Amino acid sequence: MTSVFSIYRSCAFALVLCATSAIPAMAQTPPPALAPPLRLTLKDALSLAADNDPRLQGQTFAAAAADARRAQANLRPPLVVAAEVENILGTDRLATFNDVDATLSLGTTLELGGKRAARVSRAEREKDALLIAQRAERLDVFAEVARRFVAVLRDQAVAAVADENRALALRVQEIVAARVATGNASPVEKHNAEVARIQAELARTTAAAVFREEWGRLVSAWGGSPDSRGEVVGELFATPAIGSFAALQARIDDNPDILRFATERRVREAAVTAAEAAATPDVDVALGVRRVQAARGQALVLSASVPLNAGTRAAPMADEARHQLAGLAFDERNLRNETLGTLHGLIQRAEGAATALGLLQTGAIPAARQAQDEAETAFRAGRSSLLELSAAQQQLLDLRRAAIDAAAEYHGLVIEIERLIGASITPATTETRAP
């Protein structure tokens, strides 16, 4: 199966849109032309999802917003223009404007303690965390596309088996009809063969409907038309080794959910730095010119103000940031433990599915196929009944379906393992082989 997490930027197929031309009134409208059937590999499906999935397209704007927050954090405190007028609209002599004093000043806040650098650092760390979260979202999108691809591959194989079973039922019906015509079989067998053919037809119809449903779910992942036609190309029955638990355990750090803790740790460290910087009070300063009306002159005005108890007020925020940073290590340890347990379980189940598929392909299915061939030969010669032939056919059909389910389960588990470690573990394949 094609590696789930290899991101391809070029698409091998383009969806073909069909258009109908306008026709004169009262003319019969012909049915719209259908797009030619698509043949998609997993590489194609992932490429289409990478280029067209709305969630991935929207990530660019989230990253741009993070850059804007970083620019905001880098802003210095604004300059403030202030005007002050005194001694107006009072009583007695102050009721006039003869003793008005007016001040025009320009001021700002002097940030101390590295507050601006701390804000910028925190904004940068938050963007790093966003990029890791976006990577996890991309992997989720690709994993979902891969799951849908495997589902289509499975249902495609089931439909092929149903087609073969229908053809076999038709052949058996013809044999029974010939035997009944020569008096070598009971008319009851003719009716039973007809029922078996109808059942095979129903199974074929159901399998085709399920395939079309899964195909629609697959192509809708990148905005394609669910009503389009096509097929997928992949090697369903190949089960390449996925490696030991120890080997995969060593790669668990590639999991973006684990990487998130590293970036989150840096975010919280930056939060601690910003909270500690708040303990250093800022100084508000202003310089201006005052008009003293009584003296008929001007003078410079310089002011400065410093808040009191800044360290006391900042201490609870700094404590909160430190406690959150300390608690992060336990959250990471818990996630690692759960991830390793899940990884071990997935590996065991994948190995079990591969073993089951191997037993079916190398032992049970060849034996059942031989039994069916011998039962058909005996039935043609009149040495066995239709019941024996039907039992042999059903046994082979059940085993082939079990092989398809085992193969699909294996690849589904590989997808979950690759999502868990955030990396590919399987080589690319392109062909399908029936059991």
Side-chain angles (χ1 to χ4, degrees):
M1 186 181 115
T2 306
S3 172
V4 174
F5 295 114
S6 298
I7 304 173
Y8 298 87
R9 292 300 177 189
S10 60
C11 298
F13 293 93
L15 297 179
V16 180
L17 301 179
C18 298
T20 57
S21 57
I23 57 175
M26 304 302 292
Q28 184 177 1
T29 304
L34 296 177
L38 301 174
R39 297 185 77 249
L40 297 176
T41 64
L42 182 55
K43 171 183 175 179
D44 301 328
L46 294 177
S47 296
L48 289 166
D51 293 337
N52 298 284
D53 188 281
R55 290 167 292 179
L56 303 186
Q57 292 178 320
Q59 288 184 350
T60 303
F61 299 98
D67 290 334
R69 286 193 294 272
R70 196 269 185 198
Q72 296 170 28
N74 195 39
L75 294 175
R76 298 178 182 275
L79 294 174
V80 178
V81 177
E84 182 180 354
V85 180
E86 299 178 354
N87 302 330
I88 62 171
L89 304 178
T91 60
D92 298 332
R93 61 176 295 184
L94 296 180
T96 67
F97 291 91
N98 294 330
D99 295 317
V100 169
D101 292 339
T103 303
L104 180 65
S105 64
L106 181 66
T108 188
T109 298
L110 300 179
E111 289 188 303
L112 304 178
K115 293 184 181 65
R116 185 163 66 95
R119 287 198 308 272
V120 171
S121 177
R122 183 171 183 176
E124 291 173 343
R125 301 292 79 77
E126 287 175 347
K127 182 181 180 181
D128 293 340
L130 172 66
L131 295 178
I132 292 297
Q134 288 183 339
R135 178 184 171 190
E137 185 176 33
R138 287 195 297 272
L139 294 181
D140 288 337
V141 169
F142 296 146
E144 180 58 28
V145 171
R147 293 186 195 103
R148 296 183 186 186
F149 183 91
V150 170
V152 175
L153 197 60
R154 175 199 63 211
D155 295 332
Q156 190 170 273
V158 170
V161 171
D163 284 339
E164 295 178 21
N165 187 57
R166 172 181 173 273
L168 180 61
L170 285 171
R171 188 168 74 242
V172 170
Q173 187 178 18
E174 292 172 358
I175 297 171
V176 171
R179 291 188 61 188
V180 171
T182 59
N184 295 322
S186 166
V188 175
E189 289 190 339
K190 181 179 180 180
H191 297 307
N192 289 337
E194 174 67 13
V195 171
R197 182 194 65 78
I198 294 174
Q199 289 177 329
E201 192 73 47
L202 290 173
R204 175 174 175 264
T205 301
T206 300
V210 172
F211 168 76
R212 289 193 298 271
E213 177 188 357
E214 292 296 341
W215 171 264
R217 294 185 68 245
L218 173 63
V219 299
S220 65
W222 54 79
S225 172
D227 198 36
S228 62
R229 297 175 298 155
E231 63 179 359
V232 295
V233 183
E235 193 170 348
L236 178 63
F237 299 100
T239 55
I242 60 177
S244 65
F245 173 71
L248 295 178
Q249 178 183 4
R251 303 173 64 182
I252 204 69
D253 287 338
D254 289 333
N255 182 342
D257 296 324
I258 299 295
L259 290 174
R260 177 178 62 84
F261 281 98
T263 56
E264 182 65 21
R265 186 181 304 109
R266 289 192 287 271
V267 169
R268 296 192 183 185
E269 288 172 350
V272 171
T273 301
E276 291 175 343
T280 302
D282 297 331
V283 179
D284 294 330
V285 295
L287 177 65
V289 177
R290 170 171 291 182
R291 168 66 179 180
V292 182
Q293 185 68 17
R296 298 294 189 272
Q298 293 83 29
L300 292 178
V301 177
L302 176 63
S303 66
S305 62
V306 180
L308 300 178
N309 299 322
T312 302
R313 295 177 62 84
M317 279 75 81
D319 289 341
E320 178 188 7
R322 293 190 194 97
H323 293 320
Q324 290 179 339
L325 176 60
L328 190 66
F330 296 95
D331 294 337
E332 180 179 4
R333 186 189 307 172
N334 179 64
L335 181 60
R336 281 182 177 275
N337 292 340
E338 292 183 353
T339 302
L340 290 176
T342 302
L343 176 63
H344 182 268
L346 291 173
I347 293 173
Q348 301 309 309
R349 290 172 57 193
E351 291 177 348
T355 300
L357 179 59
L359 291 174
L360 288 167
Q361 287 186 304
T362 61
I365 291 178
R369 195 181 299 277
Q370 182 67 27
Q372 176 189 273
D373 293 342
E374 293 176 355
E376 183 174 341
T377 300
F379 180 73
R380 286 177 180 273
R383 298 194 306 270
S384 66
S385 66
L386 179 61
L387 181 61
E388 291 175 321
L389 176 58
S390 298
Q393 291 173 344
Q394 187 62 46
Q395 177 180 252
L396 177 59
L397 179 63
D398 291 342
L399 290 174
R400 294 185 68 184
R401 288 176 176 171
I404 292 171
D405 290 341
E409 180 185 9
Y410 172 84
H411 289 298
L413 292 167
V414 168
I415 291 169
E416 299 307 321
I417 292 173
E418 290 184 328
R419 172 61 185 87
L420 206 59
I421 67 174
S424 170
I425 59 176
T426 57
T429 55
T430 57
E431 298 179 355
T432 302
R433 297 179 301 181

